[in-house]
Amino acid sequence: MHIVDGALSVPVLAIGAVLTAAGVALGLKKMDYDHLPQVGVLSAAFFIASYIHLPIGFSSVHLILNGLIGLALGWAAFPALLIALFLQAVFFGFGGFVVLGVNTLNIALPAVLVYYGCRYGIQSSSPKVAAIWGAIGGAGSIILTTLMVAVSLMLSGEGFALAAKATFIAHIPVMIIEGFVTASAVLLIRKVKPTFLGLDEERVYG
Amino acid sequence: MPEFLEHSGTSWQGQKVKHHRSIVDHIDPRLRVVMASLFALITVLSQSFLSLCVAVGVGLLLALLARLNLKRTLRRVLAMDMFMIFLIILLPFTTPGETWFSILGLSASKEGFLHAVVILLKAHAVVLTLLALIGTLSATVLGHALARLRIPDKLVHLMLFTVRYLEVIGQEYKRMRRAMKARAFVLRTDRHTWRSIGYLIGMLLVHSLERSERIMDAMKCRGYQGKFYLFDDMRLSQKDLTFSLIFTPVLCLLIGLNFL
């Protein structure tokens, strides 16, 4: 889901950089030093988890998990994802350097939106309702991310229109898989460590 | 994407990747970060072919000087190419303009082809320079360099933490996957796989969170007050001056070639 350096137009790059800077600043402000190890370890966990490749037909897709990142970290998703993308760019040559702002925005903003949209849903007392909200968060974040990638491409040149549409269609399987995976992860975390998602145990176990 | 091209983050080796010492290692990390960023910025903003060709040349030269592992670098560059190949192939056919050649009734425009080449050149120039100048730093040194460059404290701490625990969490993940394999779990395209992977990720997060709580306690026990101390003192030396004296004109040349 990364865009490489050189593809986007200058205004798109600039807007992405400015908005990401704002998001990161807000995320850092909301994260005090006591939560630093927590955010750091969780972003390492997401870094690892997002490399899990799941087979699909003859090909395979890798998870992005930004819905789950949003649910777990809230606004701290911005700095956490910026760092993950930065590390990937400089050590693996994956993604780009100047497009870091756009790439971070495209992945982190949906995460934050999922945090606000699905936070209450996954706290529901019924596991089924919570799982559905988890699935909405997982699939929804990928839909939003793909749309944002498509928009950033389209704003950069009309020649990208077809590629943008193709990106969206190619990611439909990812949306479905992320939905299932996020829902199961939410269910498990509710059972094992309810406080993680801001739940108190009484509400889960009634 | 073929297996061998996939970036294996789960076997993150961070600082353990074998790396030959080279002249690039003598340059101050801060200078490397600043120069690589300037280079990336200038390259991405450039429009002229000549300038971009020179930029790719500079990238290759830096990669050679840094004695990058040929196989590893090739794998990374190829993986990046795989990533954008789709976009590049489509561009000539989707960009409006006079027909240049046509395949299967689809007409390709010259403008689109040129645009595709420009993107390819930019991406390669930047990725080679990044891998050569910054990718050869250890993550810790990079963190310190960023801190010295006035990147917000918290962001740098967060990066150092993430890097430190990538390895640990990676081990944890492998351990859990081994346990699943021992119980005959095979990845397939079905709901059972997705549910199991969901549980795996959930458990990984829970384990990580509990670990982070222990880390916090251990750090508090040793007097952590929300501050790390950077012990290294980075000083610019004669070599850094030489590097700047060579690299700055190159950057100016890259800018200048745009206005020819």
Side-chain angles (χ1 to χ4, degrees):
Chain A
M1 202 72 85
H2 310 46
I3 304 173
V4 292
D5 265 330
L8 297 181
S9 69
V10 179
V12 177
L13 290 174
I15 293 170
V18 169
L19 290 180
T20 294
V24 170
L26 198 60
L28 288 178
K29 212 174 154 197
K30 294 204 172 202
M31 177 184 80
D32 52 14
Y33 279 100
D34 275 2
H35 280 100
L36 247 161
Q38 189 183 334
V39 179
V41 173
L42 284 179
S43 66
F46 280 115
F47 196 96
I48 299 292
S50 65
Y51 278 99
I52 302 175
H53 282 73
L54 294 178
I56 172 159
F58 295 106
S59 170
S60 77
V61 294
H62 77 89
L63 299 170
I64 300 169
L65 290 176
N66 51 346
L68 200 56
I69 297 178
L71 290 174
L73 296 179
W75 277 97
F78 260 100
L81 283 164
L82 174 69
I83 284 166
L85 291 174
F86 176 70
L87 291 176
Q88 284 183 2
V90 297
F91 289 118
F92 297 147
F94 207 46
F97 191 69
V98 183
V99 288
L100 212 51
V102 178
N103 281 336
T104 310
L105 185 72
N106 287 348
I107 298 179
L109 190 63
V112 173
L113 291 177
V114 164
Y115 170 70
Y116 282 115
C118 304
R119 192 170 38 152
Y120 296 106
I122 57 166
Q123 294 177 356
S124 155
S125 52
S126 137
K128 209 168 236 170
V129 175
I132 289 172
W133 277 103
I136 292 175
S141 61
I142 303 298
I143 294 176
L144 287 172
T145 298
T146 333
L147 283 177
M148 287 174 69
V149 170
V151 169
S152 9
L153 281 174
M154 276 196 219
L155 286 177
S156 299
E158 45 190 321
F160 289 124
L162 188 63
K165 279 178 207 151
T167 314
F168 187 80
I169 292 167
H171 277 87
I172 289 175
V174 186
M175 294 165 196
I176 297 168
I177 294 177
E178 289 257 353
F180 276 107
V181 170
T182 309
S184 332
V186 163
L187 274 182
L188 180 117
I189 295 170
R190 271 168 59 96
K191 271 208 180 123
V192 180
K193 201 169 172 86
T195 45
F196 188 13
L197 297 173
L199 295 156
D200 39 17
E201 298 188 19
E202 282 166 38
R203 249 177 101 181
V204 177
Y205 299 112
Chain B
M1 204 181 274
E3 191 106 352
F4 76 97
L5 285 179
E6 276 165 11
H7 295 277
S8 160
T10 48
S11 60
W12 163 269
Q13 295 186 305
Q15 288 124 5
K16 279 194 271 166
V17 175
K18 250 187 266 150
H19 166 62
H20 300 288
R21 301 281 299 169
S22 66
I23 345 175
V24 173
D25 287 313
H26 295 298
I27 305 167
D28 187 279
R30 290 169 299 172
L31 194 64
R32 281 152 78 175
V33 173
V34 170
M35 287 300 183
S37 314
L38 283 177
F39 178 84
L41 205 62
I42 290 170
T43 307
V44 168
L45 296 181
S46 293
Q47 285 308 328
S48 97
F49 264 106
L50 192 60
S51 165
L52 289 175
C53 290
V54 174
V56 173
V58 173
L60 278 173
L61 191 68
L62 285 171
L64 281 178
L65 284 178
R67 299 180 65 193
L68 289 184
N69 181 317
L70 186 68
K71 218 170 115 193
R72 195 161 61 223
T73 310
L74 208 62
R75 203 164 57 209
R76 284 171 183 175
V77 172
L78 265 178
M80 181 188 75
D81 291 342
M82 300 280 296
F83 209 78
M84 55 185 206
I85 196 158
F86 191 57
L87 197 70
I88 300 299
I89 291 178
L90 276 180
L91 258 183
F93 300 100
T94 53
T95 308
E98 55 177 306
T99 308
W100 189 35
F101 64 89
S102 53
I103 304 169
L104 303 171
L106 293 166
S107 59
S109 69
K110 201 163 186 175
E111 286 88 345
F113 178 72
L114 293 180
H115 190 182
V117 174
V118 164
I119 295 177
L120 273 176
L121 290 175
K122 285 181 181 179
H124 283 91
V126 173
V127 84
L128 285 172
T129 310
L130 278 186
L131 289 177
L133 287 184
I134 307 186
T136 45
L137 287 171
S138 88
T140 327
V141 175
L142 176 61
H144 287 196
L146 290 177
R148 299 271 183 233
L149 287 170
R150 302 259 175 276
I151 299 289
D153 252 15
K154 271 188 195 169
L155 203 57
V156 174
H157 288 0
L158 191 60
M159 186 189 124
L160 291 174
F161 256 112
T162 308
V163 169
R164 167 69 183 80
Y165 286 98
L166 269 177
E167 175 76 23
V168 180
I169 307 287
Q171 295 289 344
E172 179 89 25
Y173 166 73
K174 277 190 194 149
R175 199 173 57 82
M176 287 162 73
R177 272 307 291 278
R178 244 193 333 265
M180 288 168 88
K181 239 182 218 162
R183 288 157 183 78
F185 174 77
V186 183
L187 286 172
R188 272 196 227 105
T189 313
D190 56 13
R191 281 181 61 181
H192 171 70
T193 304
W194 301 338
R195 194 171 51 232
S196 310
I197 291 293
Y199 288 167
L200 167 75
I201 292 167
M203 214 54 222
L204 193 66
L205 292 185
V206 170
H207 281 164
S208 314
L209 193 73
E210 283 170 352
R211 184 185 287 274
S212 81
E213 282 162 4
R214 291 198 301 274
I215 295 166
M216 194 62 213
D217 290 344
M219 283 171 47
K220 281 222 169 107
C221 190
R222 288 157 180 80
Y224 175 68
Q225 287 179 321
K227 189 163 168 48
F228 278 145
Y229 298 91
L230 307 172
F231 289 121
D232 59 294
D233 59 335
M234 296 181 179
R235 275 206 202 107
L236 294 177
S237 67
Q238 183 64 43
K239 279 178 186 138
D240 300 318
L241 191 69
T242 320
F243 176 68
S244 316
L245 282 179
I246 299 171
F247 206 68
T248 314
V250 172
L251 291 179
C252 294
L253 178 75
L254 287 178
I255 299 174
L257 285 176
N258 276 302
F259 299 103
L260 278 185

